[in-house]
């Protein structure tokens, strides 16, 4: 490993709230692995007044808060620029837009690099054939154009690659491509078996051997090229402690119908522990994700055990070979 590179596990923290804000669920694409589920998440586009009010509910809770604007495709929202500036004004420590690259409403003309910390582009292949098979015809060309515009205008620019059996073979080609494009950060994600992927028919998680052989190595190669890389741990080492972010961190995933989840793996179910009603945040009574967070099982993450047990392998003694980490546990390599 090259000297000077810092590799760390990103610790969960209660002192910082990470707000993942889905301001609408509409999208111009129909990705095969899309996790948006309109039946559970609604189809509304939130008016800007509501976006501001809901943002304030969370910026006031902690001295340090990060916000990520999501959709659907958030740049389809005509008032995204106002929302971004409101986040800055009201003290969010970092502001990110996650986009599929189409950059509607000329968003880059309406904000400046000082308004956002990063624009994060979803790109699921190093070539059009692979990416477009997952994300739709023409999406590779659009995201390339968007990344180039973002970099050339001085925006912090990152790329999110959602790895599955459909594209993990191409992950090793990503570092060189991103370096050439001038991208600053590289996020590798594991496909979550939610939304379209829940059937397991369209995309599936790569197995443990493939993941462990491939992902840390590619992450190190990207860091060698000067990128900061983040990837999920997924499989815990034998003596590594298991922690559920629902117990020890403060992440919220807000949907336009007012549901607020603490765990993204619960998002296909009405298990949200919080909800926004009449612009007030309240705890939901009864059985919610909260009760699941308290369970200790040998397999690690309880929700993973319930909805995607296929990624757990057991030894001859009946014990899991790897406990599955919280989906929010990340490794980061800073070049
Ligand atoms: S994954 Fe994102 S870009 Fe793709 S269809 Fe879903 S919301 Fe749209
Ligand atoms: S993914 Fe698993 S470990 Fe993480 S918050 Fe959800 S239930 Fe807890």
């Amino acid at each position: 490993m090259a000297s000077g590179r810092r590799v760390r596990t990103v610790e969960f923290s209660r002192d910082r709230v990470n707000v993942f804000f889905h301001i609408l669920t509409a999208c111009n694409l129909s990705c095969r692995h899309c996790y948006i589920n309109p039946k559970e998440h609604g189809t509304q586009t939130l008016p800007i007044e509501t976006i501001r009010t809901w943002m304030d509910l969370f910026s006031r809770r902690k001295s340090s808060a990060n916000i990520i604007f999501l959709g659907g495709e958030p740049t389809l929202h005509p008032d995204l620029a106002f929302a971004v500036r409101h986040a800055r004004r009201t003290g969010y420590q970092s502001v990110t837009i996650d986009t599929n690259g189409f950059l509607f409403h000329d968003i880059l003309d309406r904000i400046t690099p000082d308004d956002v910390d990063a624009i994060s582009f979803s790109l699921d292949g190093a070539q059009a054939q692979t990416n477009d098979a997952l994300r739709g015809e023409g999406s590779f060309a659009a995201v390339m154009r968007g990344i180039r515009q973002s970099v050339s205008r001085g925006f912090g620019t990152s790329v999110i690659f959602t790895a599955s059996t459909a594209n993990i073979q191409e992950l090793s080609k990503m570092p060189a491509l991103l370096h050439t494009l001038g991208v600053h950060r590289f996020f590798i994600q594991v496909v979550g078996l939610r939304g379209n992927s829940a059937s397991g028919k369209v995309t599936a998680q790569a197995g443990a051997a493939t993941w462990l052989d491939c992902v840390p190595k590619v992450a190190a190669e990207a860091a060698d090229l000067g990128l900061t890389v983040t990837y999920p741990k997924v499989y815990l080492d034998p003596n590594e402690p298991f922690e559920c972010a629902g117990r020890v961190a403060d992440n919220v995933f807000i949907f336009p119908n007012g549901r607020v989840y603490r765990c993204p793996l619960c998002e296909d179910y009405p298990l949200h522990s919080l909800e926004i009603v009449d612009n007030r945040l309240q705890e939901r009574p009864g059985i919610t994700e909260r009760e699941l967070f308290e369970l200790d099982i040998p397999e690690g993450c309880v929700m993973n055990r319930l909805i995607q047990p296929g990624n757990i392998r057991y030894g001859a003694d009946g014990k899991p070979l790897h406990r599955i980490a919280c989906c929010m546990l990340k490794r980061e390599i800073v070049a």
Side-chain angles (χ1 to χ4, degrees):
M1 190 159 286
S3 63
R5 193 197 293 155
R6 285 190 292 121
V7 185
R8 67 177 189 120
T9 298
V10 184
E11 303 290 340
F12 292 138
S13 167
R14 277 206 181 285
D15 301 328
R16 163 186 79 226
V17 56
N18 294 309
V19 177
F20 297 85
F21 195 171
H22 299 262
I23 57 176
L24 76 179
T25 53
C27 189
N28 57 307
L29 295 181
S30 310
C31 299
R32 282 169 61 189
H33 54 333
C34 181
Y35 65 94
I36 291 296
N37 180 338
K39 179 173 151 278
E40 301 296 334
H41 305 151
T43 53
Q44 300 97 315
T45 294
L46 290 173
I48 185 65
E49 298 73 29
T50 307
I51 293 174
R52 286 196 189 118
T53 305
W54 290 13
M55 281 162 66
D56 294 347
L57 293 174
F58 296 93
S59 63
R60 283 198 296 263
R61 268 161 50 123
K62 295 274 160 71
S63 58
S64 159
N66 306 312
I67 191 161
I68 300 100
F69 290 103
L70 303 150
E73 169 52 33
T75 68
L76 281 171
H77 198 296
D79 294 325
L80 177 62
F82 296 114
V84 160
R85 280 195 289 275
H86 185 75
R88 262 295 187 253
R89 259 197 318 273
T90 50
Y92 276 95
Q93 194 177 47
S94 78
V95 182
T96 301
I97 299 171
D98 278 9
T99 177
N100 62 26
F102 281 77
L103 302 174
F104 292 100
H105 295 295
D106 298 323
I107 186 68
L108 297 189
D109 294 337
R110 300 177 63 210
I111 56 174
T112 72
D114 287 340
D115 294 328
V116 286
D117 293 85
I119 304 196
S120 235
F121 292 84
S122 296
L123 172 63
D124 291 340
Q127 52 184 343
Q129 193 185 6
T130 310
N131 179 80
D132 290 5
L134 289 162
R135 307 189 62 85
E137 195 64 36
S139 57
F140 185 84
V143 79
M144 286 295 136
R145 202 164 46 240
I147 291 170
R148 288 195 177 102
Q149 282 175 6
S150 176
V151 170
S152 71
R153 292 177 188 212
F155 287 94
T157 305
S158 46
V159 159
I160 307 170
F161 182 101
T162 300
S164 68
T165 48
N167 65 355
I168 198 160
Q169 78 289 348
E170 208 154 301
L171 186 61
S172 61
K173 297 199 176 112
M174 294 297 291
L177 173 65
L178 301 189
H179 178 61
T180 307
L181 288 167
V183 166
H184 305 109
R185 286 195 72 139
F186 184 26
F187 293 92
I188 304 170
Q189 281 186 346
V190 61
V191 71
L193 300 187
R194 298 175 277 146
N196 288 348
S197 300
S199 68
K201 290 183 189 142
V202 283
T203 45
Q205 285 189 2
T210 307
W211 180 271
L212 295 170
D213 280 353
C214 172
V215 174
K217 190 160 133 270
V218 173
E221 285 164 8
D224 282 344
L225 293 174
L227 289 133
T228 295
V229 189
T230 305
Y231 61 96
K233 183 78 193 170
V234 188
Y235 302 98
L236 289 172
D237 301 331
N239 295 318
E240 218 170 345
F242 167 79
E243 283 189 311
C244 169
R247 285 193 225 171
V248 298
D250 197 359
N251 299 302
V252 287
F253 300 82
I254 309 169
F255 287 93
N257 57 0
R259 288 191 184 182
V260 181
Y261 291 83
R262 291 194 167 284
C263 168
L265 292 194
C266 292
E267 287 170 6
D268 261 359
Y269 307 92
L271 285 169
H272 48 297
S273 51
L274 300 160
E275 62 187 344
I276 302 172
V277 180
D278 296 332
N279 289 333
R280 279 199 296 271
L281 182 68
Q282 54 193 45
E283 292 272 341
R284 283 182 71 233
I287 306 244
T288 70
E289 56 188 347
R290 210 172 27 232
E291 277 61 43
L292 298 173
F293 301 153
E294 299 305 319
L295 303 175
D296 286 309
I297 61 170
E299 290 89 346
C301 170
V302 170
M303 273 312 285
N304 180 83
R305 173 71 185 80
L306 290 173
I307 67 171
Q308 47 194 30
N311 65 357
I312 307 167
R313 287 180 307 140
Y314 294 87
D317 58 0
K319 292 190 181 151
L321 296 178
H322 295 276
R323 281 176 304 163
I324 303 297
C326 178
C327 71
M328 286 174 274
L329 186 70
K330 312 281 182 189
R331 294 280 283 169
E332 183 184 78
I333 311 181
V334 182

